[in-house]
């Protein structure tokens, strides 16, 4: 089930001017662990990696340190012009500012009654049970890879620039994906194409546009609940003006600062398994803001659905046994926190929220 009469779009809900969010959006007290907004500032500057200099030893060392410490980094000189990034963010904002009737043309409900949910399109994430806590965001989720499987019926026709801009943007992030994966392989001293070779022309890639309206109770409601990404690699384009992303390390939450025209790139669970846990997939969440809305664009890249996940050859020995406890099917990729909570004893099946 997704958005329906019982589950209104968050943007519409926020426009009513209520003072208390519906109970389905409230984070249970036992899960809050204090004030949701009580996160610390990062203890050291956020890792900033120049992607044009990854062949330099000093930049490679910075990348290694970032992945070992945080599992993510900010990328600069990434090959996407400021003008293209501005056009992508502008088109995204224009889409969410349209009347509901226009946005619903891209609905992720097949028949419009809330019973036939699909991943692609505009709406809410799938609700799996009555006690499923809801995130304070609306989203537009579109397949960008493989190119011949793009469902343009779900791509907005308004604004007119949206499709062309997204296609160009996705072509650039694909190049960044391969560059980063090759650099990670080199850091691990394995074949530089090992991770890239796990991605055939049928491997999936999705662009997810997240819109977070202002929320009157940011102390009780999360824009996106704690999770790790289930695929291979995530390339995130954050709103320059409004923060909200938080990363967890050693049980503490830290605010991730924004920096104009940079990309935040983080490892996902499948890549953590494939690198045998040397570099970790970070646990993260998004908090809400009482005054300002926020927009982000995440491009999720995965391995082939038939791939059996295991540590890469060369990353296993007597001193470094497998941390994944066997093989895992990539078709069971998950964005659920379950894997993160049970790293030493992973669940036998990963639920898929992609």
């Amino acid at each position: 089930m997704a958005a329906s009469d019982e589950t209104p779009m968050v943007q519409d809900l926020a426009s009513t001017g209520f003072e208390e969010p519906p109970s389905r959006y409230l984070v249970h007290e036992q899960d809050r662990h204090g004030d949701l907004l009580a996160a610390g500032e990062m203890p050291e500057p956020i890792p900033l990696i120049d992607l044009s200099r990854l062949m330099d030893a000093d930049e490679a060392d910075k990348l290694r340190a970032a992945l070992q410490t945080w599992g993510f980094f900010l990328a600069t000189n990434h090959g996407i012009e400021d003008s293209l990034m501005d056009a992508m963010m502008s088109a995204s904002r224009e889409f969410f500012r349209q009347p509901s009737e226009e946005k619903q043309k891209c609905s992720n409900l097949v028949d419009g009654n809330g019973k036939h949910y699909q991943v692609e399109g505009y709406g809410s994430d799938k609700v799996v049970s009555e006690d499923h806590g809801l995130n304070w965001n609306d989203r537009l989720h579109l397949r960008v890879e493989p190119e011949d499987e793009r469902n343009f019926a779900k791509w907005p026709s308004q604004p007119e620039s949206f499709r062309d801009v997204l296609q160009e943007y996705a072509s650039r992030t694909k190049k960044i994906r391969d560059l980063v994966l090759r650099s990670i392989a080199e850091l691990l001293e394995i074949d530089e194409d090992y991770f890239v070779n796990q991605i055939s022309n049928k491997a999936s890639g999705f662009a997810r546009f997240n819109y977070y309206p202002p929320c009157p109770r940011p102390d009780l409601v999360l824009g996106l609940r704690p999770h790790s990404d289930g695929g291979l690699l995530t390339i995130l384009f954050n709103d320059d003006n409004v923060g909200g992303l938080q990363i967890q390390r050693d049980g503490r939450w830290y605010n991730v600062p924004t920096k104009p025209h940079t990309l935040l790139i983080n490892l996902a669970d499948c890549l953590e398994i494939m690198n045998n846990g040397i570099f970790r997939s970070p646990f993260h969440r998004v908090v809400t803001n009482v005054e300002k809305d926020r927009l982000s664009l995440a491009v999720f890249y995965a391995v082939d659905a038939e791939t059996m996940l295991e540590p890469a050859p060369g990353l296993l020995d007597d001193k470094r046994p497998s941390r994944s406890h066997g093989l895992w099917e990539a078709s069971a990729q998950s964005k659920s926190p379950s894997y993160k909570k049970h790293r030493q004893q992973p669940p036998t099946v990963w639920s898929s929220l992609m």
Side-chain angles (χ1 to χ4, degrees), residues 136-285:
W136 192 258
N137 78 74
D138 297 332
R139 52 66 150 193
L140 175 66
H141 203 94
L142 304 173
R143 181 185 291 274
V144 294
E145 294 292 337
E147 291 186 29
D148 60 0
E149 294 183 19
R150 291 174 178 174
N151 182 5
F152 289 110
K154 296 297 181 182
W155 288 43
S157 58
Q158 297 296 326
E160 292 183 359
S161 63
F162 188 97
R163 295 186 181 187
D164 289 342
V165 172
L166 177 55
Q167 289 188 86
E168 181 61 28
Y169 183 86
S171 72
R172 305 296 186 88
T173 59
K174 185 177 180 179
K175 293 177 181 177
I176 295 171
R177 175 200 68 184
D178 292 349
L179 172 63
V180 171
L181 290 177
R182 288 191 172 98
S183 298
I184 292 175
E186 290 184 357
L187 292 176
L188 296 168
E189 299 182 351
I190 61 175
D191 179 0
E192 71 166 11
D193 288 324
Y194 178 80
F195 297 126
V196 173
N197 287 342
Q198 308 304 310
I199 309 170
S200 76
N201 58 5
K202 290 300 180 183
S204 65
F206 285 91
R208 175 175 169 132
F209 301 81
N210 294 295
Y211 178 75
Y212 304 93
C215 178
R217 294 300 304 270
D219 57 323
L220 301 178
V221 175
L222 284 170
L224 204 56
R225 297 190 180 221
H227 67 287
S228 61
D229 296 338
L232 192 66
L233 198 73
T234 302
I235 300 176
L236 180 67
F237 177 18
N238 267 317
D239 192 314
D240 290 343
N241 300 313
V242 183
L245 178 65
Q246 296 181 343
I247 297 281
Q248 188 182 73
R249 190 178 80 177
D250 299 330
R252 285 196 62 189
W253 289 104
Y254 294 96
N255 294 312
V256 178
T258 61
K259 187 174 179 61
H261 299 122
T262 59
L263 296 171
L264 190 147
I265 301 177
N266 68 267
L267 274 62
D269 293 343
C270 290
L271 187 54
E272 177 177 326
I273 291 174
M274 294 163 72
N275 77 64
N276 201 22
I278 296 171
F279 303 139
R280 297 295 186 96
S281 165
F283 209 44
H284 52 285
R285 68 183 185 182

